[in-house]
Amino acid sequence: MKVFFTYILVFCLYGLAGLADLIAGPVRILYAEDAVANEQRLQYAVDKMVAATGQPSSVFRFAKTPLKKDDLVLGVLGTTERWEKFVPATLLESLKSQESFLIYRKDNKSPLIIVGKDETGLLYGCEEASKKAFYDNNPVSYTDAPEMVLRGTAIGLQKTEYLPGRDVYEYPYTEDLFPWFYDKELWIQYLDMMLENRYNSLYLWNGHPFSSLVKLKDYPYALEVDDATFAKNEEIYRFLTEEANKRGIWVIQMFYNILLPKPFADKHGLKTQERNRIITPLIEDYTRKSIAAFVEKYPNVGLLVTLGEAMEGVGQDDIDWFTKTIIPGVKDGLRAINSALEPPIILRAHDTDAPAVMEAALPIYKNLYTAAKFNGEALTTYETRGKWAELHQTLGSIGTVHIQNVHILANLEPFRYAAPDFIQKSVKSMHDIHFSNGLHLYPQASYWDWPYTADKTERRLLQVERDWMWYKAWARYAWKANRSESEEKAYWASTLSGYYGLSEAEAANLLIALDEVGEISPKILRRFGITDGNRQTSSLGMLMTQLINPYRYGLFTLLYESEAPEGEMIIDYAEKQFKGEQHIGETPMRVADEIVAHAAKAVQAIQGIQQAANKNKEEFQRLLNDVYIHQAMAEHYSFKVKAAIQLLEYKYTENVESLRKALPDFERSVDAYKKLTDLTADTYLYANSMQTKQRKIPMRGVDATFKHWTEMLPVFETELKNFQQAIDSIALAAGKPKKERKLLREKEVHVKADVQYAELKKGAKLHLDQELVVTHLANELEGMKAVMINSEEQKLHGTILPFESDQNVKVLVGYFNNTDKVFAPKPVLEIDASANDYGQAEAKVRNALRIQYMPMLDIHTYSFPKGKNELKIPKGEALILGFIADDELQHAYNADVDNQGDDMDDLFGYYEETKL
């Protein structure tokens, strides 16, 4: 910990405007230089004090400077005996943790003493003294200390769309892409906000920042920016780190692995990122030297390492990459500047076996930390359980500091979220459930569009201004989570009163509304959603098929198993309801009622205060509009969920009346969505800030489409109309046989490997090294030529299949519905940003085939253009079931080969070319 705190940057005095009015008479500012490790930080605090009081400062010499009653004496603990002359020993002994401080005045004839355990603590003490007006000559004895070691915020150097010829996360640091990055005034505003809220770490996220920040002698062509831009990058990065240092903020640079700069990749005929790439000496050497050069140039900047996603996570490769490339690179940089102080490295537990990596790394590098997402890429619950809680607990128990990453917040955007009660409970659970002692906080909304919010205003609003309460609440509870309910209600009412110019009673009502609204989005996603990831835009609603058949859309089961209280999914609830079985925990029907009740209480609380604000009036009106937006959204979801539960009854009764009974709630859900559309039409630019092909729910958001409620309303209206027509069609078709699907047409390709084929049919053997046979098969797959696999070879090495085709084709790849490591992992966007590069993320044919003794198999399709191509399948068992024309299998469906029940998807038809 001593090494780490060498890098903790110090907070300075904040908010001393008007300080001179609090001081009865002339004051001397005396500061002790003893035990000060960073003179720049101390001088920044002293300069702020001088500017605030108009009084000069001078150095305090123990036993040589006589004190006067109006003196203000500042210092760092250092040698305790020196301070015992002025401060009781019991108070000094309370300064045990880093950043702790005390404020002491014996009586009205004595000077005011502020002592910090370290420089950070001293500055927090100055800030507290200013806020509490301890300058009125009354006796005072006050101590405080933070609970969380790290309290940080994140900013992404990312964009809402991909750059031409590049993939996700690939954004060089340039003025064209990130003009705000070079705006010094904006940085000062943001850093001052951090200082005000006692944040002590700032995370900068980017896929590969090194090629914008360092030049390498051996790889000069790897630099992604021109010389003029590089010089500007050096200047602004130096400015940022120096200004952060003054304010006690530790800058941490994040990067992905293995990601290469485009000019380097192009020169060597490589891809910038490739999940299953082989680690080569060239790639290893370039990366190691990049990290070394960065550490040499910025030794006080920490590193946040993401091993997974851009490389195949969970295995020996990521352990080797961390211990044989990244850490050696850091050590190379330290050797270059003759430094023995290890900069902190934070290992992100994302798509990697973090406990195994840490076990291998700790013997060779001590200054390590871990970080993991709190609720995935959303905010859903403060009652995390199951496997996700177990991962946090494991990382929180290995002896290093474990950090909670409140990440992306895809279910909250784009609206304001300022619910202190939910946030306080979340931070408590970080300590109590996750054994965590650090916070890494993302922007509340519009991460990909930093620094702006999604509000549709004449001048774009800044997130640092609009979401002030988001930052304040998380910081308050990261500092100290256990505060009484009465204390918090009084604090936040006073804070809201001051910000909006409300009476205390009006502010108390506004606080009620904010806390009630704060329950709505978390409950919606955790009980009805598909994923905790940013491929779902929760505020835009969900298709009916997404509610009643979530597996079709790649259900991320961790959302229900770990990131929600114990309860039931809609499909489980409907089945139990029909069978008359007892329900368990938080049910969809209960949440459908609760979100409407929360919204009603919020709206009731703001009645009568619509025109009450005397300050920040325009923002107050936008905040109230968000309350009404949440009411419309809650009603939409509530009615639609109730309709979903009712129409699922048809799955068991096959009685058309079960569908007719769902119509009234279905219609009400669309009416509520019309209200939601009206409330957002002129107030928001978009719902989701990530507007790429990764956005898939409720509709695929290619090229920034389906990003607004005005685009989604016609979809939901069509969905309802199609359902009404389907009811009529079912009634007319009663008793008629169902149509069978047409056979898929095999396409000839030239496979450039020694392979054997097997014709798909029941009884067929698809393995070279096993005698297992096909027991269930979708009719349309009959006759396809499957590539026979050696299962043991595939488990060890995966599969690379080169082939050539004279037309666009799809390759049918069968993934087993089992998460055991013997099976190849399905392409999942939550952990792999490249999981849909070939259209493979969605299971096109679910429950398509079964091999004896094996799990059910789903078919994913990989689309390739004509010409030479290469199919890559990760390690583990999977099947290659043939090649078809690229225009086939356009829409996903459930083949249901072992008769588990119709998924009812055909009830909702199409919206243009998209199957609903």
Side-chain angles (χ1 to χ4, degrees), residues 632-643:
M633 183 172 69
E635 290 176 350
H636 165 70
Y637 267 103
S638 181
F639 285 129
K640 195 158 191 175
V641 166
K642 291 177 179 178

Side-chain angles (χ1 to χ4, degrees), residues 157 382 618:
L157 279 95
Y382 42 80
E618 291 182 355

Side-chain angles (χ1 to χ4, degrees), residues 264-326:
F264 177 92
D266 289 347
K267 181 177 178 63
H268 294 284
L270 301 168
K271 293 182 179 180
T272 52
Q273 51 184 296
E274 185 176 8
R275 182 170 172 82
N276 300 309
R277 80 158 87 238
I278 298 171
I279 299 173
T280 66
L282 173 68
I283 293 172
E284 181 180 9
D285 185 64
Y286 164 73
T287 305
R288 179 170 175 169
K289 287 177 177 174
S290 294
I291 293 170
F294 181 83
V295 171
E296 179 180 356
K297 194 172 187 178
Y298 304 105
N300 290 341
V301 175
L303 295 174
L304 172 60
V305 179
T306 299
L307 291 176
E309 189 157 346
M311 70 183 289
E312 185 177 357
V314 190
Q316 190 60 42
D317 280 355
D318 51 353
I319 294 175
D320 290 344
W321 188 250
F322 192 61
T323 59
K324 297 181 180 180
T325 300
I326 293 174

Side-chain angles (χ1 to χ4, degrees), residues 636-864:
H636 165 70
Y637 267 103
S638 181
F639 285 129
K640 195 158 191 175
V641 166
K642 291 177 179 178
I645 291 170
Q646 174 55 50
L647 65 85
L648 276 170
E649 184 180 272
Y650 176 75
K651 184 174 181 177
Y652 308 102
T653 66
E654 295 189 359
N655 186 338
V656 73
E657 288 304 312
S658 297
L659 301 179
R660 289 198 176 106
K661 289 177 183 178
L663 265 177
D665 279 331
F666 205 159
E667 291 166 345
R668 292 186 189 105
S669 76
V670 174
D671 290 340
Y673 202 86
K674 290 176 182 176
K675 287 190 224 174
L676 178 58
T677 303
D678 290 341
L679 288 166
T680 55
D682 297 322
T683 57
Y684 280 98
L685 297 169
Y686 55 76
N688 48 277
S689 61
M690 188 182 190
Q691 297 159 14
T692 68
K693 61 185 179 181
Q694 285 181 290
R695 288 286 188 179
K696 299 174 73 67
I697 300 167
M699 294 285 280
R700 190 162 179 257
V702 179
D703 298 327
T705 54
F706 296 108
K707 66 181 183 180
H708 201 279
W709 298 266
T710 52
E711 295 174 275
M712 283 304 305
L713 178 59
V715 177
F716 290 135
E717 290 175 327
T718 301
E719 181 186 48
L720 173 60
K721 180 181 177 182
N722 291 347
F723 178 66
Q724 292 168 328
Q725 293 173 346
I727 292 175
D728 295 336
S729 298
I730 289 171
L732 291 172
K736 296 180 181 179
K738 295 180 180 179
K739 294 181 180 179
E740 289 193 1
R741 297 186 183 274
K742 295 180 180 178
L743 290 173
L744 293 174
R745 294 167 293 145
E746 180 83 37
K747 287 297 176 184
E748 289 293 330
V749 300
H750 177 52
V751 175
K752 299 182 177 182
D754 184 15
V755 297
Q756 297 182 43
Y757 296 95
E759 181 180 341
L760 279 183
K761 60 184 178 180
K762 290 183 180 179
K765 187 167 78 78
L766 305 184
H767 292 81
L768 294 169
D769 58 340
Q770 297 187 51
E771 297 301 320
L772 306 177
V773 299
V774 175
T775 59
H776 296 75
L777 180 70
N779 293 334
E780 56 272 25
L781 296 174
E782 291 275 357
M784 295 288 294
K785 289 194 324 186
V787 176
M788 299 185 72
I789 69 161
N790 183 306
S791 61
E792 291 305 315
E793 283 292 317
Q794 180 133 353
K795 289 173 190 175
L796 290 173
H797 306 293
T799 293
I800 298 177
L801 189 73
F803 67 92
E804 188 171 356
S805 170
D806 59 3
Q807 60 183 295
N808 299 344
V809 296
K810 281 191 175 88
V811 185
L812 309 183
V813 178
Y815 286 98
F816 292 95
N817 286 325
N818 193 296
T819 58
D820 192 289
K821 292 182 180 180
V822 301
F823 301 108
K826 290 185 176 184
V828 177
L829 281 166
E830 280 77 8
I831 59 173
D832 177 10
S834 64
N836 202 44
D837 286 357
Y838 304 95
Q840 75 270 31
E842 182 179 29
K844 283 297 174 61
V845 188
R846 300 180 309 286
N847 302 306
L849 182 149
R850 186 186 287 279
I851 294 174
Q852 64 185 139
Y853 312 126
M854 300 284 274
M856 182 61 72
L857 183 143
D858 291 346
I859 293 176
H860 294 242
T861 62
Y862 290 67
S863 293
F864 291 96

